[in-house]
Amino acid sequence: MINKEKIHPLLQGPVQSRDGIRGIERPRGLLDALQEDNEHLRSLAGMHIVSARQFDRNQILQLSRLAASYETQPDLIHPPLRGKILVSAFYEPSTRTRLSFESAWHRLGGDIMSITDPATTGIAKGESLADVGEMFNNYGDVVVLRDNSEDSVYSMLDSLRIPIINAGNGIDEHPTQALADIYAILKWYPSFGREDLPEDKKVIIGVIGTPNRMRTVRSLLLLLSLFSNSIKKVYIVNPSTDLFDAEQQEELEGAGLKIEVIHKLRDVLPEIDVVYINSIAWVGDSYETLTGDIKLTSESNLKPNSIILHPLARGEELDPSLDKTEHNWYFSQARGAVFIRMALLTCLVHRINLVVDSPVDQPEEQ
Amino acid sequence: MINKEKIHPLLQGPVQSRDGIRGIERPRGLLDALQEDNEHLRSLAGMHIVSARQFDRNQILQLSRLAASYETQPDLIHPPLRGKILVSAFYEPSTRTRLSFESAWHRLGGDIMSITDPATTGIAKGESLADVGEMFNNYGDVVVLRDNSEDSVYSMLDSLRIPIINAGNGIDEHPTQALADIYAILKWYPSFGREDLPEDKKVIIGVIGTPNRMRTVRSLLLLLSLFSNSIKKVYIVNPSTDLFDAEQQEELEGAGLKIEVIHKLRDVLPEIDVVYINSIAWVGDSYETLTGDIKLTSESNLKPNSIILHPLARGEELDPSLDKTEHNWYFSQARGAVFIRMALLTCLVHRINLVVDSPVDQPEEQ
Amino acid sequence: MINKEKIHPLLQGPVQSRDGIRGIERPRGLLDALQEDNEHLRSLAGMHIVSARQFDRNQILQLSRLAASYETQPDLIHPPLRGKILVSAFYEPSTRTRLSFESAWHRLGGDIMSITDPATTGIAKGESLADVGEMFNNYGDVVVLRDNSEDSVYSMLDSLRIPIINAGNGIDEHPTQALADIYAILKWYPSFGREDLPEDKKVIIGVIGTPNRMRTVRSLLLLLSLFSNSIKKVYIVNPSTDLFDAEQQEELEGAGLKIEVIHKLRDVLPEIDVVYINSIAWVGDSYETLTGDIKLTSESNLKPNSIILHPLARGEELDPSLDKTEHNWYFSQARGAVFIRMALLTCLVHRINLVVDSPVDQPEEQ
């Protein structure tokens, strides 16, 4: 007989089921807490999604509700994007974000064409970005673009006749990642979406990152400002100074966000309800890491019941010893990112009426 | 409040609709002008498409008619290629042609597998091209191949049991690009397809390029020769001499094309009805550019109502100042390329009967 | 007229039909010879497929039967994997195996996301393999992985909640290639699946390769050991010594396989019924070739009616002069590999009941 003892233990039975946090209780709770109101989604039809500034609070709540609906019933009987084509253009390498979008589009029933190797693109051949946009018009129904330049996506807006989603433009923005972050917070604490929370029910958020050099952080702060009434304070935790662009902090505070810059994580960690950590900062085309005391482990003095978010991929700053604790909401955040993208894509492609119970009048599809 | 003034103007509303030239009036006009006669498409079933020499005039007219049908109704209710697999093999980098074919195949309802990185191919592993062809037989229903060698596609014909489309073989040919060029001309001037045009209704075509070194030009001239009765003259505009291979010019003139070589564009530009421009010439694996007076701008002395075609990507030879003029048919040409490829692919895969009103007897699908 | 004589002969008519060996008589014969018993396939639902040790004889027979069923009717009217997503992760370059899996998944109606460029993966960004596994959980329903490290696939088992198929892990194993090899043998000789063959009906198998350094050979020998009662002897043909890992030969012999190491192919070739040849051995990241008398041509002293298998791509060791002989079963082997993978994938994704006549009770889909 073949020596069955040589078979790895984890090959001896079928794969194990998911655990609770990544199950459907949380999205179901969000569905119950939020009233459906698809009027707010109507305005997303045919829009480019480039900056987190474009969203209002109601859109985010309704997108999250639709995402929760998808998360509780992921197998769609009538996929709404059948026959639609996504151009997946990642001029800057990515696996997570690209697969997240592609998975979302596939689950909605659509088809995908990928551009993943910069050496084969129009840009490499010297084409103008306006011409690249014109080309995309002919081939697909939506473009998702990641590029290491802040300007590329903006340079294409004039020629594009199909919606484009910014999946990361240099150090500028990454709006759908911020949507995924808010969706995770809402699943954890649906009341975050209310406007009338008493002071003792508001949350303290800690952002370990660099607001003027991390696109994830820049977009997240913009979206958090829409929920200022539910936030007691936002700590920006960073050993450096010079963390904001001109007017960046003023704009956020003008929108109602209370911001406090802290240099040592240890000083405030026990107060924080939502710990957002992202230690990698773009400087040109290379990475730099925040050093010092920025590292979360199961030994860190986290507030009980607090949650940790991280856009992933992670490095040393977020230790695996936290993976099996209740603080681990970064895996759920990654999982939910597919569903919030499904919600957004559904709305962009004018198909909201195919997936909701109360259809709305939509602008004519172009 | 978030500072809404920081939102780019083009993000403040949904994407804008297409303009007229790229609308459906032109393809509809072509549908009216050409009688449907699908017998001519029957002979394309199961064929390899490697050289423009393989087509006859009636096939091109009927393919264009089918393309126009697709262009006026792009959302197919019953996609005819559902369940069919395309092997998209681009051993030579390309974005436009690859996305054009993949978009066409997706819109027909089929699935796609891509080989885009030469380093992962059979060729890189030392496999013979005959073995690569044999491999493709197992995996797909059609192959589209681009390679920087003229011989590769021919070397695979003996082992292939599924149709292959040449998407560019070195400097030799690019038949489907030429089909797209003719389709654009027919949409602009449906009478181009007639055999009995009086002399004053015939067109003068100017080809700015190098017939013996540009595959697009080589294929286009072969197809134009089929329409000799509608062409007063073809100017080949090029500062060089030695522009034709042995017998190339004789073969075209023998087919009825009147060719005149001109060295300065300025001398003839005001006479030309269809200006075809492509300034990039393959020399080994590098590019060389035609210099001198070969450059079109809105200041050029173009004939009124003349049209410009360019296979794209473009460089300095075709100035963006022409984009918003009526001469701009290069964007429409790119758009139409998807539909003419849809037409061709439908015929190759024996599915013509699923998309036309008057079905034809087809050879048994292999 | 265009010079039609310049059109290559093979472009003058539609593609030629397949020949007999690659037709459907053989799989049909296997369907007749094997009784359907899908209980044995039930246990594959939700399983990781990493090592050939995981299979038992009945599973292989029923998988082969299902593969034969697919091979005789490749166009599925109700594709069973519609809505399911495959993550095709080839961290080590491959065209054949990747296209084989992707073709299988497409023919089953599913969608695919590819990771083909190591420079864009999680691993390149320094993510742990556990995190990569966690990521895959969110994006797809099955992962197929090829990597040049033996350990990667095992490192992901703990975090994966979706099945993973090992498409080659360093020099360790390649279980689905071995399944394809057995499927080819069964199509050639269905009685190979019986347990009661008289001595003179058993087969002699020759494996030209390196058992401890070729993953294809390692997996194949493990599966052959399940059919020991139908095998008179297995020759391992190799000019070297030191061909087995510690206990590798003992384990196979303990399972009933009679193994004899031979250094010169010529000495035994006329006895061999099934010649399996694979001359490429991984040593680190480079290739080494078996030299000497290991080369099969139409002049080799092959036993009449013997068959040759080769996982392909092939080099000089298997001469094209054999392609048109009856010994050529390597093309059929490649063709069948798609169908055996379709069978395996159907079972993994719990969809066996959609494609068989006698449904079985399945474990709850996770």
Side-chain angles (χ1 to χ4, degrees):
Chain A
M1 282 292 294
I2 287 300
N3 185 351
K4 293 291 189 182
E5 286 169 18
K6 288 183 178 244
I7 302 177
H8 190 287
L10 286 171
L11 299 181
Q12 295 184 11
V15 293
Q16 303 194 16
S17 66
R18 292 189 154 81
D19 59 39
I21 287 180
R22 278 161 281 174
I24 61 174
E25 309 85 17
R26 296 288 186 156
R28 195 160 273 164
L30 185 58
L31 282 175
D32 293 339
L34 287 177
Q35 183 99 338
E36 181 177 283
D37 187 352
N38 298 310
E39 274 302 312
H40 296 293
L41 297 179
R42 193 165 76 106
S43 51
L44 289 169
M47 297 289 286
H48 298 304
I49 303 298
V50 177
S51 163
R53 278 195 188 83
Q54 296 176 256
F55 293 101
D56 62 50
R57 209 176 128 273
N58 286 317
Q59 281 174 334
I60 294 174
L61 292 175
Q62 290 302 318
L63 280 171
S64 297
R65 192 181 195 286
L66 181 56
S69 173
Y70 279 137
E71 188 160 3
T72 50
Q73 286 188 312
D75 294 326
L76 303 176
I77 298 179
H78 297 294
L81 299 194
R82 198 164 282 297
K84 295 294 180 181
I85 298 176
L86 175 74
V87 180
S88 176
F90 282 74
Y91 289 38
E92 185 197 294
S94 159
T95 298
R96 277 185 182 279
T97 302
R98 179 171 72 82
L99 293 192
S100 185
F101 269 108
E102 294 192 5
S103 184
W105 192 265
H106 276 311
R107 295 199 185 283
L108 294 170
D111 300 302
I112 297 175
M113 302 191 306
S114 293
I115 306 171
T116 54
D117 180 358
T120 69
T121 63
I123 285 182
K125 270 190 177 173
E127 271 199 284
S128 69
L129 287 167
D131 278 4
V132 175
E134 184 60 48
M135 173 176 73
F136 288 157
N137 290 341
N138 295 326
Y139 299 146
D141 300 294
V142 176
V143 183
V144 171
L145 174 71
R146 171 172 285 194
D147 195 52
N148 48 21
S149 143
E150 286 79 46
D151 299 324
S152 299
V153 60
Y154 285 102
S155 300
M156 289 173 62
L157 293 181
D158 199 53
S159 56
L160 280 170
R161 299 286 178 266
I162 59 175
I164 188 165
I165 298 179
N166 175 17
N169 59 327
I171 62 170
D172 185 32
E173 291 218 47
H174 191 358
T176 61
Q177 177 63 51
L179 281 179
D181 303 338
I182 301 293
Y183 177 53
I185 294 174
L186 285 168
K187 275 193 294 179
W188 163 69
Y189 185 38
S191 296
F192 185 76
R194 292 172 51 182
E195 295 240 72
D196 58 351
L197 283 184
E199 195 65 21
D200 62 321
K201 293 280 200 268
K202 298 185 184 187
V203 298
I204 293 182
I205 299 179
V207 175
I208 307 169
T210 315
N212 60 356
R213 287 228 304 270
M214 291 177 177
R215 56 192 177 207
T216 50
V217 174
R218 188 191 311 272
S219 292
L220 174 61
L221 290 173
L222 286 167
L223 291 193
L224 285 176
S225 74
L226 299 173
F227 296 86
S228 298
N229 286 340
S230 302
I231 299 171
K232 200 176 300 185
K233 184 188 316 192
V234 175
Y235 287 117
I236 304 296
V237 182
N238 194 310
S240 306
T241 54
D242 189 31
L243 300 173
F244 289 93
D245 288 338
E247 301 178 5
Q248 185 180 8
Q249 186 171 357
E250 290 80 357
E251 181 183 8
L252 295 166
E253 289 174 334
L257 217 51
K258 298 172 193 56
I259 294 174
E260 186 177 334
V261 176
I262 298 287
H263 297 299
K264 290 184 79 71
L265 177 59
R266 171 164 294 275
D267 292 346
V268 292
L269 189 55
E271 302 174 38
I272 300 176
D273 297 297
V274 178
V275 184
Y276 178 98
I277 179 166
N278 186 3
S279 292
I280 309 301
W282 275 104
V283 178
D285 290 308
S286 63
Y287 293 94
E288 66 177 36
T289 318
L290 292 175
T291 57
D293 83 325
I294 308 292
K295 183 179 168 73
L296 293 174
T297 77
S298 53
E299 303 299 304
S300 304
N301 50 340
L302 289 155
K303 180 175 180 180
N305 300 320
S306 62
I307 70 170
I308 300 170
L309 302 180
H310 190 312
L312 301 174
R314 65 167 151 181
E316 290 183 18
E317 70 280 358
L318 178 58
D319 193 77
S321 61
L322 283 160
D323 292 359
K324 290 196 188 326
T325 70
E326 282 212 334
H327 301 293
N328 175 358
W329 269 73
Y330 35 95
F331 287 168
S332 173
Q333 174 190 16
R335 175 172 167 80
V338 178
F339 299 109
I340 195 81
R341 286 172 171 127
M342 285 172 71
L344 180 64
L345 292 167
T346 306
C347 297
L348 285 192
V349 190
H350 302 256
R351 291 296 168 88
I352 186 66
N353 280 343
L354 292 185
V355 295
V356 298
D357 299 320
S358 37
V360 293
D361 287 334
Q362 295 194 90
E364 266 301 308
E365 183 165 355
Q366 301 302 326
Chain B
M1 281 291 296
I2 286 303
N3 185 353
K4 293 291 187 182
E5 286 168 19
K6 287 181 179 248
I7 301 176
H8 189 289
L10 286 171
L11 299 181
Q12 295 184 10
V15 294
Q16 303 194 17
S17 66
R18 293 189 156 80
D19 60 38
I21 287 180
R22 278 161 280 173
I24 60 174
E25 309 86 16
R26 295 288 184 156
R28 195 160 275 164
L30 185 58
L31 281 176
D32 293 338
L34 288 178
Q35 184 97 335
E36 181 177 285
D37 188 353
N38 298 310
E39 274 302 312
H40 297 292
L41 296 180
R42 193 163 76 105
S43 50
L44 288 169
M47 296 290 285
H48 297 305
I49 304 297
V50 177
S51 164
R53 275 195 189 84
Q54 298 175 255
F55 293 100
D56 63 49
R57 208 176 129 273
N58 286 316
Q59 282 174 332
I60 293 175
L61 292 175
Q62 291 302 319
L63 280 171
S64 297
R65 194 183 192 285
L66 181 56
S69 173
Y70 280 137
E71 188 160 2
T72 51
Q73 286 188 309
D75 293 325
L76 302 176
I77 298 179
H78 297 295
L81 297 194
R82 198 165 282 298
K84 295 294 180 180
I85 297 175
L86 175 73
V87 179
S88 176
F90 282 74
Y91 289 39
E92 185 198 294
S94 158
T95 298
R96 278 184 180 278
T97 302
R98 179 171 71 84
L99 292 193
S100 187
F101 269 109
E102 293 192 5
S103 184
W105 193 266
H106 275 310
R107 296 200 184 283
L108 293 170
D111 301 302
I112 297 175
M113 304 192 304
S114 293
I115 305 171
T116 54
D117 181 358
T120 69
T121 63
I123 285 181
K125 271 191 179 173
E127 270 198 286
S128 68
L129 287 166
D131 278 3
V132 174
E134 184 59 49
M135 173 176 75
F136 288 156
N137 291 340
N138 296 326
Y139 299 147
D141 300 295
V142 176
V143 183
V144 171
L145 175 70
R146 171 172 284 194
D147 194 52
N148 49 21
S149 143
E150 286 78 46
D151 298 324
S152 298
V153 61
Y154 285 103
S155 299
M156 291 173 61
L157 293 182
D158 200 52
S159 57
L160 280 170
R161 299 286 178 266
I162 59 176
I164 188 164
I165 299 179
N166 175 18
N169 60 326
I171 63 169
D172 186 31
E173 291 217 47
H174 191 357
T176 61
Q177 177 62 52
L179 280 179
D181 303 338
I182 302 294
Y183 177 52
I185 295 174
L186 284 168
K187 275 194 294 178
W188 164 68
Y189 184 39
S191 296
F192 185 75
R194 293 172 50 183
E195 295 240 73
D196 58 353
L197 282 183
E199 197 65 21
D200 63 319
K201 292 281 202 264
K202 299 186 184 185
V203 298
I204 292 182
I205 299 180
V207 175
I208 307 169
T210 315
N212 60 356
R213 288 229 303 271
M214 290 176 178
R215 56 192 177 207
T216 50
V217 174
R218 188 191 310 273
S219 291
L220 174 61
L221 291 173
L222 287 167
L223 291 193
L224 285 177
S225 73
L226 299 174
F227 296 86
S228 297
N229 286 341
S230 302
I231 300 170
K232 201 176 299 186
K233 184 187 318 191
V234 176
Y235 286 118
I236 304 295
V237 182
N238 194 310
S240 305
T241 54
D242 190 31
L243 300 172
F244 289 94
D245 288 339
E247 301 179 4
Q248 185 180 6
Q249 186 171 358
E250 290 79 359
E251 182 184 6
L252 294 166
E253 288 174 335
L257 217 52
K258 297 173 193 55
I259 294 173
E260 186 176 334
V261 176
I262 297 286
H263 296 300
K264 289 182 80 71
L265 177 60
R266 172 162 293 276
D267 292 346
V268 293
L269 189 56
E271 301 174 38
I272 300 176
D273 297 296
V274 179
V275 183
Y276 178 98
I277 179 166
N278 186 5
S279 291
I280 310 300
W282 274 102
V283 179
D285 290 307
S286 63
Y287 293 94
E288 64 178 36
T289 316
L290 292 176
T291 56
D293 83 326
I294 309 293
K295 183 179 168 76
L296 294 172
T297 77
S298 54
E299 303 299 306
S300 303
N301 50 340
L302 288 155
K303 180 176 180 181
N305 299 318
S306 62
I307 70 171
I308 298 171
L309 302 180
H310 190 309
L312 299 174
R314 65 168 151 180
E316 292 183 19
E317 71 280 357
L318 178 58
D319 192 77
S321 61
L322 282 160
D323 291 1
K324 291 196 186 328
T325 70
E326 282 211 334
H327 301 293
N328 175 358
W329 268 73
Y330 35 96
F331 288 168
S332 174
Q333 173 190 16
R335 176 172 167 79
V338 178
F339 299 109
I340 195 81
R341 284 173 173 127
M342 286 173 70
L344 180 64
L345 292 167
T346 305
C347 297
L348 284 193
V349 190
H350 300 258
R351 292 295 167 89
I352 185 65
N353 281 343
L354 293 184
V355 296
V356 297
D357 298 319
S358 36
V360 292
D361 288 334
Q362 295 195 88
E364 266 302 310
E365 184 166 352
Q366 301 302 328
Chain C
M1 283 290 295
I2 287 302
N3 185 353
K4 293 290 189 183
E5 287 169 17
K6 287 183 178 243
I7 301 177
H8 189 288
L10 286 171
L11 299 181
Q12 293 183 11
V15 293
Q16 303 193 15
S17 66
R18 292 189 156 82
D19 59 37
I21 288 180
R22 278 160 282 174
I24 61 174
E25 309 85 16
R26 295 287 185 155
R28 195 160 274 163
L30 185 58
L31 280 175
D32 294 339
L34 288 177
Q35 183 99 340
E36 180 177 285
D37 187 354
N38 298 311
E39 275 302 312
H40 296 294
L41 297 179
R42 194 164 77 106
S43 50
L44 288 169
M47 296 290 284
H48 298 304
I49 303 298
V50 177
S51 163
R53 277 195 188 84
Q54 296 175 257
F55 292 101
D56 62 49
R57 209 175 129 273
N58 286 317
Q59 283 174 333
I60 294 175
L61 292 174
Q62 290 303 317
L63 280 172
S64 297
R65 194 181 192 285
L66 181 55
S69 172
Y70 281 137
E71 189 160 3
T72 50
Q73 285 188 308
D75 293 324
L76 302 177
I77 298 179
H78 297 294
L81 296 195
R82 198 164 282 297
K84 295 294 180 181
I85 298 175
L86 175 73
V87 180
S88 176
F90 281 75
Y91 290 38
E92 185 197 293
S94 158
T95 298
R96 277 185 182 277
T97 302
R98 179 171 71 83
L99 293 193
S100 186
F101 269 108
E102 292 192 5
S103 184
W105 193 266
H106 276 310
R107 295 200 185 282
L108 293 170
D111 300 301
I112 297 175
M113 304 193 303
S114 293
I115 305 172
T116 54
D117 180 359
T120 71
T121 63
I123 284 182
K125 269 190 177 175
E127 271 199 285
S128 68
L129 288 166
D131 278 4
V132 175
E134 184 60 47
M135 172 175 77
F136 288 157
N137 290 340
N138 295 326
Y139 300 146
D141 300 295
V142 177
V143 183
V144 171
L145 175 70
R146 171 172 285 194
D147 195 49
N148 50 20
S149 143
E150 286 78 46
D151 299 325
S152 298
V153 61
Y154 285 103
S155 300
M156 291 173 61
L157 293 181
D158 200 53
S159 57
L160 280 169
R161 299 286 178 267
I162 59 177
I164 187 164
I165 298 178
N166 174 19
N169 60 326
I171 62 170
D172 186 32
E173 292 218 46
H174 191 359
T176 62
Q177 177 64 51
L179 280 179
D181 303 338
I182 301 293
Y183 177 54
I185 295 174
L186 285 168
K187 276 193 293 179
W188 163 68
Y189 185 39
S191 297
F192 184 75
R194 292 172 51 182
E195 294 240 73
D196 58 352
L197 281 183
E199 196 64 22
D200 62 321
K201 294 279 202 265
K202 299 185 184 186
V203 297
I204 292 181
I205 299 180
V207 175
I208 307 168
T210 316
N212 59 358
R213 287 228 303 270
M214 291 177 177
R215 56 193 176 205
T216 51
V217 173
R218 189 191 310 273
S219 292
L220 174 61
L221 291 172
L222 286 167
L223 291 193
L224 285 177
S225 74
L226 299 173
F227 295 87
S228 297
N229 287 340
S230 302
I231 299 171
K232 200 176 300 187
K233 184 187 318 191
V234 175
Y235 288 117
I236 305 294
V237 182
N238 195 310
S240 304
T241 54
D242 189 30
L243 299 172
F244 289 93
D245 287 338
E247 299 178 7
Q248 185 180 8
Q249 186 171 359
E250 291 80 358
E251 181 183 8
L252 295 167
E253 290 174 335
L257 216 53
K258 299 174 192 55
I259 293 173
E260 186 176 333
V261 176
I262 298 285
H263 297 299
K264 291 184 79 72
L265 176 60
R266 171 163 293 275
D267 292 347
V268 293
L269 189 56
E271 300 174 38
I272 300 176
D273 298 296
V274 178
V275 184
Y276 178 98
I277 180 166
N278 187 4
S279 292
I280 309 300
W282 273 105
V283 180
D285 291 308
S286 64
Y287 293 94
E288 65 177 36
T289 317
L290 292 177
T291 56
D293 82 328
I294 308 291
K295 183 180 169 75
L296 293 174
T297 77
S298 52
E299 303 298 305
S300 303
N301 50 340
L302 288 155
K303 180 175 180 181
N305 300 320
S306 63
I307 70 170
I308 299 170
L309 303 179
H310 189 312
L312 299 174
R314 66 167 149 179
E316 291 182 18
E317 71 279 358
L318 179 56
D319 194 76
S321 59
L322 283 159
D323 291 0
K324 291 197 187 325
T325 70
E326 283 211 334
H327 301 294
N328 175 358
W329 268 73
Y330 34 96
F331 288 168
S332 174
Q333 174 190 15
R335 174 172 169 79
V338 178
F339 300 109
I340 195 81
R341 285 174 172 127
M342 286 173 70
L344 180 64
L345 291 168
T346 306
C347 297
L348 285 191
V349 189
H350 301 257
R351 292 295 168 89
I352 186 66
N353 281 343
L354 293 184
V355 295
V356 297
D357 299 320
S358 37
V360 293
D361 287 336
Q362 296 196 87
E364 267 299 309
E365 184 165 351
Q366 303 299 329

